Amino acid sequence: MTDTPTDDAHSADDVRPRNDKGADELSPAERHAARAAIYSAAAGAYCYPDEEIVAELTHAETADGLRAAGRKLDLTDEVEALLGALGATDREALESAYNDLFGLPSDDGTYAVVPYEAEYTVGDEVSRKQRRIATVAGLLEAFGVEPADDFHERQDHVVVELELLQVLAARRAVACEEGEADDAENLERAEATVLDEHLADFVPAFAHGVRDATDDPKEAESYDDPRRAAGAVYRAAADLAEAIVTRDLAAHPDPDVDADAAAEVNPRA
């Protein structure tokens, strides 16, 4: 959607390349870069599965990078579930599953899973939804995150909010790498604000809805029908998104940030 950068403690010796570090060995810059990769993959999985998106998600370099990030953050199981499900399906099946879950309403006008934050966080009141969407739009503007021209969803879509966290994590990686402690601290608080005020309730509720509507990704590779595996892709992506959001919520301080100041730091993500 946007133009952004990009341990298993019990078995690390068996699966980790010599130059691949576990969670307890990472520098802050490495950890935040790994977080950015996880958020990028989770967001990418919920973009409409056109040929370009699917090619990127299934590229060998993408898989290698995602596996490395998963090992670094102790999210190996979630990453392997997503990659396994992707390997058992195809673009046509992903498109069909996407439309069934998020794209096409049923006869009564409802969707199997709603991918918009305001539907989970402010209820049915239209004015409150509008204010919520406007708040997300303000954050995107503050941090220079612009939807692609062909992205026509509301700005509180799950893809948008996950990619906003990707941008912030990537900028923290740059700030830490360059020793900009004040910038890194301000970005940490910015992340805490977005997580606490937007993703903390949204992503777990969204993930619950996706799990109710799809098959277990652990069984995807045994499916004869790629359409079942396609549904498992979306469930695995939901599990991955919920895992990284829950982990980050536990790690962040209470949010207290000047958004304008945070938006000024290291805009090279």
Side-chain angles (χ1 to χ4, degrees):
M1 184 201 74
T2 58
D3 293 328
T4 54
T6 322
D7 69 351
D8 186 348
H10 299 292
S11 58
D13 290 340
D14 295 329
V15 302
R16 188 190 310 154
R18 287 187 180 183
N19 60 350
D20 193 13
K21 299 177 182 177
D24 57 344
E25 303 168 316
L26 297 178
S27 70
E30 290 170 322
R31 180 164 59 85
H32 299 313
R35 291 177 53 245
I38 296 292
Y39 278 115
S40 177
Y46 289 111
C47 292
Y48 188 81
D50 59 26
E51 290 184 4
E52 182 179 354
I53 287 293
V54 174
E56 182 176 347
L57 287 171
T58 56
H59 196 281
E61 289 186 5
T62 301
D64 289 345
L66 190 54
R67 284 191 171 100
R71 287 192 293 269
K72 290 172 181 176
L73 299 176
D74 295 323
L75 295 174
T76 296
D77 289 347
E78 290 84 354
V79 165
E80 290 300 334
L82 176 58
L83 294 175
L86 281 168
T89 190
D90 55 36
R91 195 206 65 79
E92 184 178 349
L94 284 169
E95 182 179 39
S96 177
Y98 184 97
N99 288 331
D100 288 345
L101 289 170
F102 316 113
L104 299 174
S106 63
D107 292 340
D108 63 0
T110 61
Y111 294 85
V113 183
V114 179
Y116 304 111
E117 182 219 324
E119 307 299 323
Y120 298 88
T121 55
V122 298
D124 296 328
E125 186 180 336
V126 174
S127 63
R128 294 184 68 197
K129 286 184 182 179
Q130 291 174 335
R131 290 196 297 272
R132 194 71 171 184
I133 296 167
T135 299
V136 177
L139 288 167
L140 298 175
E141 183 177 357
F143 293 105
V145 180
E146 296 184 5
D149 292 340
D150 59 352
F151 188 83
H152 304 299
E153 301 285 357
R154 272 170 32 184
Q155 289 182 313
D156 63 333
H157 193 278
V158 64
V159 169
V160 179
E161 298 198 8
L162 290 172
E163 286 203 358
L164 177 56
L165 262 295
Q166 175 198 354
V167 169
L168 294 174
R171 290 184 182 176
R172 279 182 76 186
V174 172
C176 291
E177 181 69 24
E178 298 189 352
E180 299 291 346
D182 290 343
D183 287 356
E185 183 177 353
N186 209 15
L187 284 162
E188 179 181 27
R189 291 174 178 168
E191 282 192 31
T193 297
V194 176
L195 285 162
D196 285 357
E197 297 183 6
H198 297 279
L199 295 180
D201 294 324
F202 172 30
V203 167
F206 170 76
H208 178 78
V210 174
R211 281 192 288 268
D212 280 350
T214 55
D215 291 318
D216 189 341
K218 294 178 182 177
E219 300 175 2
E221 294 184 23
S222 66
Y223 295 160
D224 294 329
D225 185 352
R227 290 174 295 181
R228 290 188 66 199
V233 168
Y234 295 112
R235 179 166 169 174
D239 290 342
L240 183 62
E242 184 176 21
I244 189 66
V245 166
T246 300
R247 182 188 185 96
D248 283 353
L249 278 165
H252 276 298
D254 293 334
D256 178 16
V257 67
D258 179 344
D260 290 336
E264 294 296 324
V265 299
N266 282 320
R268 291 172 291 162

